[in-house]
Amino acid sequence: VVDNPYSEWIGGQMKGEICGWLAPGDPDLAAELAYRDGIIAHEKNGVYGEIYNAVTCSLAYVESDVRKILETALGYVPPKSRFAEVVRQVMEWCDTNEDWLAAWLEVEKTYAREYHPVHTLSNIPAVIIGLVYGKGDFGRTACITTMCGLDTDCTVGQAAALVGTILGGAEIPFGWKDAVGDDFETFVIGFEHLKTSEVAARTCLFGRAFARQAGRLPSETR
């Protein structure tokens, strides 16, 4: 990455869940896919954020304990990186504050002040806080993450994706799914108008194929 002032912003992290869904239960593959995608336009913490997101969503297929997922995924980013330091510190604030807002105020004094509102390191705290205090509840997780502020479309997408993967589509409250609808519009030439259900089906198709290839899913499994 050369002369890119946005190389450590959240643009990589916001795509990580797709890599996790393509590698269900295979965090090594999820990390590899995220790395390959991330280094196209990002570096350092920008890439670590995407890897972390991908690994958490991959683990969500085989582990339902959110805290365990968050801690395990840290093993896939450099332990001495600023990203790992921020995640560990925010988890500590979550452990020492009963209320999510108190934990977030610690972030407001530090990382949210130090970094741009769209930077990876100012936004990963919102994801961690939403997931820890959401306690596996889809709506509560989404709401807390949103109330933290900053780049909410990315942070809520990540937090809700992880909880939604743990729960499974059928268990996500209808109020959340109905509000989103099924229309999916992009700026990708040839794919301007899609259906969310179609994109989800294609993602699952490739995810199953990867899982079968790795011997983690019987060939007859749908």
Side-chain angles (χ1 to χ4, degrees):
V1 179
V2 180
D3 295 330
N4 179 5
Y6 313 113
S7 63
E8 294 191 76
W9 285 22
I10 203 173
Q13 184 172 302
M14 64 183 283
K15 298 179 289 181
E17 53 261 36
I18 299 297
C19 298
W21 290 332
L22 289 173
D26 189 346
D28 291 346
L29 176 59
E32 179 184 347
L33 294 174
Y35 175 79
R36 289 184 180 184
D37 178 75
I39 60 174
I40 294 174
H42 295 78
E43 63 181 345
K44 299 178 181 177
N45 296 296
V47 177
Y48 305 153
E50 182 166 356
I51 292 173
Y52 189 73
N53 186 2
V55 170
T56 60
C57 279
S58 175
L59 291 171
Y61 283 93
V62 294
E63 175 60 60
S64 60
D65 186 318
V66 171
R67 183 59 180 262
K68 186 174 182 180
I69 290 173
L70 296 176
E71 292 175 347
T72 301
L74 269 181
Y76 287 81
V77 300
K80 294 185 179 181
S81 64
R82 182 69 161 158
F83 182 88
E85 174 192 325
V86 171
V87 172
R88 288 193 297 266
Q89 178 61 74
V90 174
M91 285 184 178
E92 184 177 323
W93 286 331
C94 291
D95 290 338
T96 55
N97 290 280
E98 293 186 6
D99 180 70
W100 73 266
L101 182 56
W104 179 251
L105 289 177
E106 296 290 347
V107 178
E108 289 279 5
K109 300 174 190 175
T110 53
Y111 310 123
R113 180 177 297 177
E114 182 178 356
Y115 297 101
H116 190 280
V118 190
H119 197 285
T120 296
L121 297 181
S122 59
N123 281 280
I124 189 61
V127 176
I128 301 300
I129 288 173
L131 287 167
V132 172
Y133 288 94
K135 298 180 179 179
D137 181 280
F138 187 88
R140 180 173 171 77
T141 298
C143 287
I144 291 175
T145 309
T146 302
M147 289 188 287
C148 288
L150 301 184
D151 200 348
T152 54
D153 58 327
C154 296
T155 57
V156 178
Q158 180 178 352
L162 194 158
V163 175
T165 302
I166 292 174
L167 296 175
E171 296 301 319
I172 297 175
F174 284 107
W176 291 94
K177 291 184 287 189
D178 292 347
V180 174
D182 199 33
D183 293 322
F184 187 71
E185 298 185 2
T186 80
F187 292 103
V188 180
I189 297 174
F191 297 90
E192 293 87 350
H193 304 286
L194 302 168
K195 293 294 183 183
T196 302
S197 55
E198 294 174 359
V199 176
R202 287 172 59 86
T203 303
C204 291
L205 180 66
F206 284 108
R208 290 191 184 100
F210 280 131
R212 289 194 186 102
Q213 188 176 32
R216 290 178 288 101
L217 190 68
S219 58
E220 68 273 9
T221 302
R222 292 185 298 165

